[in-house]
Amino acid sequence: MLPCSSFADDEQLLLKLPTNFQEAQVVKATLLLYKKTCSGLVVALLISLYLFLQVFMIPGAMFINVLAGSLYGLWATFCVIACVSTLGACLNYWLARLLVREVLLGLFPGRMDAFGKTLLKHKQHLVNYMIFLRVTPFLPSWFINTASPVVGFPFREYIAGTAVGLQPLNFILVQAGQTLGQLNGYRDLYSLKNIAKLGVCAVLAVSPVLYQRLCASTTKRRPSLNGPRRTISF
């Protein structure tokens, strides 16, 4: 447990990674007690645990978002989570690239091949493609983080798309933490309103690509003004 002992033992309720929202409420109560006497250590604990879960692909990082949102202000928490989640995704990228590339190719050869072929189709719009992947549920975050370096996704486009694409869901999770006591299950978290928000973000991510393709298609169909003239003979 955290090295703080200025309150009674019967106040030390529960300190663990929650697996549901009921446990998260109990953990929140415990962290609030620790926050009174060692707030800096609570922040360090949440950040360290978040990075650990992300880098080593362990489920549960979403509960850190919710807990942080329940303990601190909305915008301050969101800004910190935005930086930490992006850093975690970057560390995960380099871990896969430097250490476990061959392992991933051996474990998921079919999925890696399919992801690589899809990447080639969107090579002109990699940032938009990454944003779209982040805000949609088609691929899990751990797979995007680890498969991207394996199939040759450039790091510059990866980090740009990740830094933007992670934030809509991060904001929803942090905002949910503000009303943690009212959350009973994942249905409360992924409400129609929140799903609609993610859908709008996904549409915005692909809108520039669709617009460029529409313009290119229109240009091809438009007759050239300098083209060969037809002559009519009598």
Side-chain angles (χ1 to χ4, degrees):
M1 300 185 72
L2 291 177
C4 298
S5 57
S6 61
F7 48 86
D9 290 339
D10 59 355
E11 289 184 309
Q12 300 179 14
L13 304 175
L14 178 66
L15 191 59
K16 58 169 287 188
L17 179 65
T19 57
N20 55 61
F21 294 107
Q22 287 71 35
E23 286 186 357
Q25 293 173 24
V26 181
V27 173
K28 174 193 173 182
T30 305
L31 291 176
L32 282 173
L33 295 174
Y34 282 108
K35 184 183 173 186
K36 294 177 182 178
T37 54
C38 48
S39 59
L41 284 177
V42 172
V43 174
L45 172 67
L46 293 175
I47 292 176
S48 301
L49 182 58
Y50 194 101
L51 288 175
F52 178 81
L53 294 175
Q54 268 208 311
V55 171
F56 295 102
M57 299 167 283
I58 302 173
M62 62 163 287
F63 285 105
I64 306 300
N65 288 20
V66 175
L67 279 173
S70 69
L71 294 169
Y72 302 97
L74 174 62
W75 291 106
T77 304
F78 172 68
C79 291
V80 173
I81 289 294
C83 296
V84 174
S85 62
T86 304
L87 175 61
C90 293
L91 293 175
N92 205 182
Y93 178 100
W94 286 104
L95 175 69
R97 180 170 179 172
L98 298 176
L99 299 179
V100 294
R101 176 187 174 89
E102 299 302 324
V103 175
L104 292 169
L105 285 172
L107 290 174
F108 311 106
R111 297 185 70 177
M112 293 294 174
D113 183 62
F115 188 48
K117 291 179 179 178
T118 306
L119 181 66
L120 290 176
K121 296 179 182 178
H122 301 280
K123 62 181 180 180
Q124 301 299 325
H125 311 282
L126 292 178
V127 175
N128 298 84
Y129 180 53
M130 178 55 66
I131 295 174
F132 178 80
L133 288 179
R134 293 295 187 183
V135 298
T136 55
F138 300 124
L139 291 175
S141 183
W142 68 266
F143 180 80
I144 298 172
N145 294 345
T146 55
S148 294
V150 174
V151 300
F153 204 115
F155 181 70
R156 184 174 62 180
E157 285 78 4
Y158 170 86
I159 185 62
T162 296
V164 177
L166 287 177
Q167 307 325 317
L169 182 57
N170 281 340
F171 184 80
I172 289 174
L173 293 173
V174 172
Q175 190 178 44
Q178 302 285 302
T179 57
L180 177 57
Q182 301 175 19
L183 297 178
N184 297 314
Y186 291 99
R187 288 186 177 181
D188 297 327
L189 184 62
Y190 296 105
S191 61
L192 290 177
K193 182 179 179 181
N194 288 338
I195 292 175
K197 290 178 182 178
L198 294 176
V200 170
C201 292
V203 171
L204 291 176
V206 299
S207 292
V209 179
L210 296 177
Y211 177 75
Q212 290 180 13
R213 291 180 178 178
L214 179 62
C215 291
S217 177
T218 304
T219 303
K220 289 181 180 180
R221 294 177 182 178
R222 187 180 303 166
S224 175
L225 297 177
N226 298 324
R229 298 180 180 178
R230 295 182 179 179
T231 57
I232 303 177
S233 56
F234 295 93

